[in-house]
Amino acid sequence: MPKILHCADIHFDSPLTANLPAVLADRRGEELRETFSKIIEYAKNVDILLIAGDLFNSAFVSRETITFLIGKFAQIPDTAVFIAAGNHDFLSPNSYYKTVDFGKNVYVFSEKFEKIEIPRLQTAVFGVSQSQAHHSETLVRELDVNKNYTNIMLLHGEVVSGENSEFHPISREFIENSGMDYVALGHVHKYSGINRAGTTAWAYSGIPEGRGFDELGDKGFIMGEVTNSGVDLEFITCCKRRHYALELEIPSDVLDSEARAQFLVDSVLDVGTNDDLYKISIVGEVPSKYPINLDIIADKLNSALYFAKISDDTIFEYDYDELAKESGVRGLFVKNMRARIYNTEGEERVIAELALKYGLKAMEAG
């Protein structure tokens, strides 16, 4: 009855500058190490640590990261560590997986499907590493399953239902017929829940620390017991910070930048904490005489929160009757668009209404 910890997609040495300034990107890189250190602390209490690919973000890994990992794996000498290389850190001829000794307790699966037995745990761990970034066919070969053992498989790939994939396709039918007690997967950056295919349990642990606004909410790993009669696994949140993407509408009577910024801060803190990262889209209508001053609001939010990326997606409120009386281009535009709105219906009318509002906003910006 081995106790396992399953994590994946750590992506050490990710650049992280797509959404963050350089100073915060460097800090987030260090926080990723802190999160992995937390995983290692949990791993001191398990028999097997499973790392399901993309431990590194690419083939270019800093010496600091390698030294860090060697030290961390040395802290869990009694835990068997298994790594399956993924599509980002695939097992190239010059891979660090082939040139670095990560420790006696660490086993990196080769490009050929393998089975490693741990007699003291009456457990077999099956796995394979990717040898290139794209694999359109499964790398798994014939299984030699001892039903008296607990059988675990470690893979990086995409679970599919008939469709093709360039990222090592793994069919649900294969999982169901594998004879495994648990299939630990990497590649999908969101926790999948513990799924069942026949008698086999399988899951994506997701990424342990979000790196951008396409990796939202809680992140962590899976931990618990696997036996040949079932699993008892749970998702454990370990991320230092969370990413949130929010659309927020400021009330029409909140007109000055300080009050608007405070409204936004209060709104995001109803969702997360001031230690999290936010992508905020300000939506809705605002009076044309009181446009959003994005620079001031962004400055105030970033002094109150760890990080906020803000966009102004509002449109102006107008008195269309008054605008239609104007003799210039704007008045003519309003009259023509209102006529189009009046003579259409359904989706076409909605599009015309939006065209009127956004057209006027573009004129203001010009």
Side-chain angles (χ1 to χ4, degrees), residues 78-205:
D78 298 326
T79 300
V81 180
F82 291 93
I83 301 172
N87 60 297
H88 279 265
D89 60 352
F90 59 88
L91 212 59
S92 66
N94 298 319
S95 169
Y96 280 106
Y97 290 132
K98 291 186 175 182
T99 59
V100 173
D101 181 1
F102 287 101
K104 294 180 180 180
N105 59 323
V106 180
Y107 187 83
V108 180
F109 282 105
S110 74
E111 305 95 323
K112 296 182 179 180
F113 187 65
E114 299 177 87
K115 170 187 175 182
I116 306 299
E117 293 188 342
I118 310 174
R120 65 182 175 85
L121 298 174
Q122 289 191 297
T123 296
V125 181
F126 298 74
V128 63
S129 283
Q130 296 193 23
S131 59
Q132 56 193 40
H134 301 282
H135 288 276
S136 58
E137 295 182 359
T138 182
L139 301 172
V140 180
R141 297 296 177 256
E142 185 176 347
L143 301 176
D144 175 22
V145 177
N146 181 345
K147 294 184 178 180
N148 294 319
Y149 268 41
T150 297
N151 293 284
I152 298 169
M153 189 179 296
L154 181 64
L155 299 173
H156 190 92
E158 187 173 14
V159 175
V160 297
S161 298
E163 65 269 28
N164 296 324
S165 170
E166 294 183 358
F167 299 104
H168 187 208
I170 304 159
S171 72
R172 294 173 188 270
E173 182 181 12
F174 164 76
I175 294 175
E176 182 174 355
N177 296 325
S178 66
M180 294 296 106
D181 298 300
Y182 181 60
V183 179
L185 296 169
H187 183 63
V188 175
H189 289 186
K190 183 178 180 180
Y191 171 56
S192 65
I194 307 300
N195 299 285
R196 288 277 180 183
T199 60
T200 301
W202 65 272
Y204 287 102
S205 64

Side-chain angles (χ1 to χ4, degrees), residues 312-330:
D312 176 12
D313 298 306
T314 59
I315 53 180
F316 291 137
E317 293 176 336
Y318 290 101
D319 184 334
Y320 296 114
D321 291 332
E322 288 298 316
L323 288 178
K325 295 176 184 177
E326 293 184 3
S327 58
V329 173
R330 190 165 67 165

Side-chain angles (χ1 to χ4, degrees), residues 5 11 35 47 52 69 72 91 103 109 116 119 125 145 153 161 172 229 233 279 292 297 300 306:
L5 191 157
H11 287 276
T35 295
D47 302 299
L69 286 172
K72 288 300 170 182
L91 212 59
F109 282 105
I116 306 299
V125 181
V145 177
M153 189 179 296
S161 298
R172 294 173 188 270
S229 60
L233 299 168
K279 180 181 180 182
I292 298 292
I297 290 177
K300 290 180 180 295
Y306 181 79

